[in-house]
Amino acid sequence: MTSLPSPRRRLRIGPGTILLAALAVYVIAILWSGNTQFLRPGNILGMLTRAVALGITAVGQTIVILCASIDLSVAALISASAVLASVVMGGSTTMIVPAILAVLLLGMVVGLVNGLVITRLRVNPLIATLGMAMVIQGILSAVVSNFAGEVPRSFRSFDSGTVLGLPVSLIFLGLVAAGASAILNWTRFGSNIYAVGGNIDAARLAGIRTDRVIIAAHLLCSLCASVTGLYLAARLGSGAPWIGRDGMYDLESIAVAVIGGTVLAGGRGGIWGTMAGVAIFAMIDSLFNVLGVDAFAKQVLRGGIIVAAVAAYAIGSRRLVA
Amino acid sequence: MTDAALPRPRRLSRLLRVNPIWLVLLILIGAIVALNPDFTEPQGYMNFLRRAAPLCILAAGQVFVLTSGGFDLSVGSTITLTVVGASMLLYNNEAATWWVILAMLGAGGVIGLVNGLVVALLRVPSLIATLGTMITVSGIGLMWSGGAPRGYLTDGFRAAGRFMWRDVPVIGLLPAALLVLIGGGAVLWWLMHGTNYGRLLHAVGDNPEAARLAGVPVARVRVLAFVVSSLSAVVAGILLGGFSGVSLDVGTGYELQAITAAVLGGTQLLGGRGAVGAALGGALTLTAIFTLLNFLGLPQPVREVVQGLILISAVALAVCRRDA
């Protein structure tokens, strides 16, 4: 037996390191600017609550990226789900359950079609979901052009309610993340996702039905996006055909997953890294507000930060990327 | 493999080798002419070519990045920056036209260089890297103009997109944009298919590791591909500014249209195969589809649905053809 050379110890940068660095920058910047009230628990909770929509979407996005796929249709699906929810509810409490069911059904259909186009027609996932985004957005814009429908007051507690002093939406995000993490870590389906993302040919030869895994991952991702649509309808009181696109949920969910250490090529990463990425984005936004950074300068810095965070992982990696 | 086992009749195989995009384009042009006979007048088809020119240049530039195995999502905001920046710099001063064009090309070169260096040296996937530049560049455009662009594009600057020579023998009309398209297309075609660089680019896109081991300067080849794409975006921006004027969303959506056009032309995503001529065909086809939908009186949202469906089916068909 030839012994393999032991891997060289390198400085490994993980999502935890980046989260700690971001936290340190956040605290120092706030102490420096003298706005210490932003370090109170209430403000921190508020900051995290503003990231719930991105967080739920990013959980789904992480799952598809782990099996080496990607979903660019989430933003359009979020808009469509929010509009569908508020139109079906139409302000009446009795329609809440049918609206939720309709939205989840929409999410499942979109996820199923995405998965089938990718696996059966073997269309590159980027193109398949981009095309899906255009189809959803086009239909949606043809049907509604402004805020449509209304969400009843009771449904708005999905956003504004609290349990034991914690916001309901934040608890919900925690449950979604914990559920997804449990599926990925403790079920056969979860390990199949990592196997398919790591090496799809090896996974197939090992007897995994790779197509089913990819389709199921897309189903979960679209379900997460449609739930985000429900949440945004609760927060805004009504759905509009541009809320997903304006939030840039498609690209931002990919960015937070990647910042959280999930590799775009698939097979490596996890939900908690993504949650760290979401927290980092929330801190950046909050910090810009505290320091009074101009809205446009904010955008410039944001682009740079995304690239810098991803570049930080590449330190010590010799793999070529496309 | 099945190709070797079962040789097809020669005439059929030669027919199959013609890129089907040209056939599709012919059919679409036929449909447009059937709906609107005015299209056969110089005014009709020259206007069509003028409108298609920016997308053609942009798609031809995008092919370089796609062939290298990456994506360039920053071209849309580069177009916007070109138009907004030029209007800010020109400020209605006709004499400034030439150096403003040079300055914009310089800015495009810098954007491409940053994209390329971030991908090649920092090893950030191009999807994320160019997404970052997309956000940053559009932020720069907003900051520079304060959210509402001031100044105007001078007539000299707008000439490339707007000017038409009249009473030209044989063809009647000759838009300046068509000359830019032919010139730009020829340069990009030569770079891809007539130089060693084009071959190196294909090698890098097909298998970067193998290319590196064979001594290809992978990083340099990649950086140049991003620079070519960004420069093509600046040229497209100059053309678009010429006929649509100054606004903050001139470039919106063009990155996806450019990728769609290249894919329609048979460019393979994730690298290794791409042709400039076919991308031009793809861009013309996409513009023809939009023209046709316009003639049919379909509203903008329907165009989006159709573009989405075309994108998916083009790639699905390409996969089928490759396996057949």
Side-chain angles (χ1 to χ4, degrees):
Chain A
M1 288 246 282
T2 53
S3 65
L4 290 164
S6 63
R8 266 184 297 163
R9 289 238 167 233
R10 278 221 180 92
L11 174 71
R12 285 298 296 258
I13 295 181
T17 322
I18 292 184
L19 182 63
L20 281 179
L23 196 62
V25 171
Y26 180 73
V27 171
I28 290 168
I30 283 181
L31 290 177
W32 174 73
S33 72
N35 294 306
T36 42
Q37 74 272 21
F38 284 95
L39 292 176
R40 290 201 193 115
N43 283 76
I44 303 267
L45 279 181
M47 171 183 97
L48 293 176
T49 307
R50 280 192 292 280
V52 164
L54 178 59
I56 302 173
T57 318
V59 167
Q61 190 71 261
T62 306
I63 295 174
V64 285
I65 294 179
L66 280 176
C67 56
S69 189
I70 204 160
D71 191 345
L72 291 179
S73 66
V74 287
L77 179 56
I78 287 170
S79 302
S81 303
V83 169
L84 184 65
S86 68
V87 167
V88 172
M89 285 182 200
S92 91
T93 315
T94 49
M95 291 304 284
I96 289 182
V97 173
I100 291 177
L101 290 178
V103 166
L104 294 182
L105 186 67
L106 173 71
M108 285 171 77
V109 170
V110 170
L112 192 65
V113 174
N114 277 341
L116 286 174
V117 170
I118 291 165
T119 53
R120 296 280 186 265
L121 299 180
R122 279 172 300 155
V123 173
N124 180 300
L126 208 72
I127 297 292
T129 55
L130 191 60
M132 175 56 93
M134 287 171 163
V135 171
I136 297 175
Q137 192 68 51
I139 294 174
L140 187 61
S141 313
V143 178
V144 287
S145 56
N146 207 331
F147 280 99
E150 198 196 343
V151 166
R153 184 172 291 275
S154 51
F155 187 68
R156 300 200 65 171
S157 60
F158 184 15
D159 174 55
S160 53
T162 55
V163 173
L164 304 172
L166 286 173
V168 173
S169 55
L170 205 54
I171 296 173
F172 182 77
L173 172 61
L175 290 177
V176 169
S181 176
I183 289 175
L184 286 175
N185 291 324
W186 296 331
T187 66
R188 173 178 293 188
F189 170 60
S191 55
N192 284 352
I193 285 181
Y194 282 96
V196 168
N199 186 335
I200 191 163
D201 294 323
R204 191 178 295 124
L205 291 175
I208 296 171
R209 292 175 185 262
T210 56
D211 285 3
R212 284 191 192 176
V213 173
I214 292 172
I215 292 171
H218 273 278
L219 262 177
L220 287 178
C221 179
S222 295
L223 275 176
C224 284
S226 54
V227 169
T228 306
L230 282 172
Y231 166 72
L232 284 178
R235 194 168 83 186
L236 303 173
S238 176
W242 58 77
I243 55 174
R245 198 171 42 192
D246 275 11
M248 289 190 63
Y249 291 109
D250 40 7
L251 298 173
E252 293 217 334
S253 63
I254 297 169
V256 291
V258 174
I259 286 175
T262 297
V263 181
L264 273 181
R268 274 183 298 159
I271 297 293
W272 297 113
T274 302
M275 289 300 110
V278 173
I280 291 169
F281 263 43
M283 274 193 274
I284 293 171
D285 276 345
S286 158
L287 200 55
F288 285 162
N289 284 337
V290 174
L291 301 180
V293 178
D294 164 72
F296 304 143
K298 213 186 270 185
Q299 204 178 340
V300 174
L301 288 170
R302 219 180 154 117
I305 289 169
I306 294 175
V307 173
V310 178
Y313 289 115
I315 297 173
S317 143
R318 291 196 159 274
R319 288 178 323 111
L320 290 166
V321 296
Chain B
M1 275 186 283
T2 47
D3 277 348
L6 260 172
R8 290 199 190 88
R10 272 195 68 193
R11 201 186 299 163
L12 187 64
S13 74
R14 192 179 302 165
L15 232 158
L16 279 175
R17 233 179 293 142
V18 173
N19 196 317
I21 194 69
W22 300 109
L23 193 69
V24 175
L25 181 59
L26 264 180
I27 294 170
L28 284 168
I29 299 276
I32 293 176
V33 171
L35 279 171
N36 179 13
D38 287 348
F39 193 79
T40 49
E41 301 287 316
Q43 190 75 42
Y45 61 82
M46 282 302 176
N47 257 327
F48 170 77
L49 287 174
R50 187 174 66 159
R51 240 174 319 115
L55 185 58
C56 287
I57 297 278
L58 199 62
Q62 183 78 256
V63 166
F64 282 78
V65 176
L66 290 176
T67 306
S68 80
F71 296 92
D72 190 351
L73 297 180
S74 67
V75 288
S77 51
T78 305
I79 289 178
T80 307
L81 183 72
T82 304
V83 173
V84 171
S87 81
M88 301 294 289
L89 286 177
L90 283 167
Y91 221 83
N92 230 3
N93 174 13
E94 192 71 64
T97 304
W98 283 108
W99 73 258
V100 167
I101 289 180
L102 283 179
M104 285 298 119
L105 285 171
V110 171
I111 294 171
L113 203 61
V114 169
N115 280 338
L117 290 176
V118 167
V119 171
L121 297 184
L122 296 182
R123 295 166 200 283
V124 174
S126 63
L127 204 67
I128 298 287
T130 59
L131 164 67
T133 13
M134 173 177 114
I135 298 175
T136 306
V137 168
S138 66
I140 291 174
L142 286 167
M143 254 168 91
W144 193 357
S145 64
R150 293 179 301 278
Y152 303 93
L153 294 175
T154 58
D155 288 341
F157 187 86
R158 298 189 67 172
R162 204 159 57 160
F163 187 73
M164 280 215 198
W165 282 281
R166 296 183 187 280
D167 300 323
V168 181
V170 189
I171 48 174
L173 288 170
L174 181 62
L178 184 58
L179 287 188
V180 175
L181 166 58
I182 293 172
V187 168
L188 292 175
W189 189 89
W190 169 77
L191 190 59
M192 179 68 98
H193 303 286
T195 65
N196 201 28
Y197 173 70
R199 271 188 287 279
L200 295 183
L201 190 64
H202 275 82
V204 167
D206 197 39
N207 188 339
E209 201 56 47
R212 188 179 66 82
L213 293 173
V216 177
V218 174
R220 245 183 295 159
V221 169
R222 279 200 160 151
V223 172
L224 188 55
F226 280 100
V227 171
V228 167
S229 173
S230 290
L231 288 179
S232 77
V234 173
V235 174
I238 292 172
L239 293 177
L240 276 172
F243 58 77
S244 63
V246 186
S247 84
L248 278 169
D249 56 2
V250 260
T252 311
Y254 264 95
E255 60 280 337
L256 300 184
Q257 287 189 23
I259 295 174
T260 310
V263 166
L264 276 177
T267 298
Q268 195 174 316
L269 292 176
L270 307 178
R273 215 171 68 173
V276 169
L280 295 179
L284 288 173
T285 304
L286 199 59
T287 314
I289 291 167
F290 289 157
T291 310
L292 196 61
L293 294 177
N294 244 347
F295 280 149
L296 292 172
L298 294 174
Q300 175 70 28
V302 180
R303 279 172 47 157
E304 211 174 337
V305 175
V306 172
Q307 194 189 341
L309 293 175
I310 290 169
L311 189 58
I312 295 177
S313 29
V315 176
L317 277 177
V319 172
C320 285
R321 245 176 114 235
R322 211 176 304 144
D323 296 349

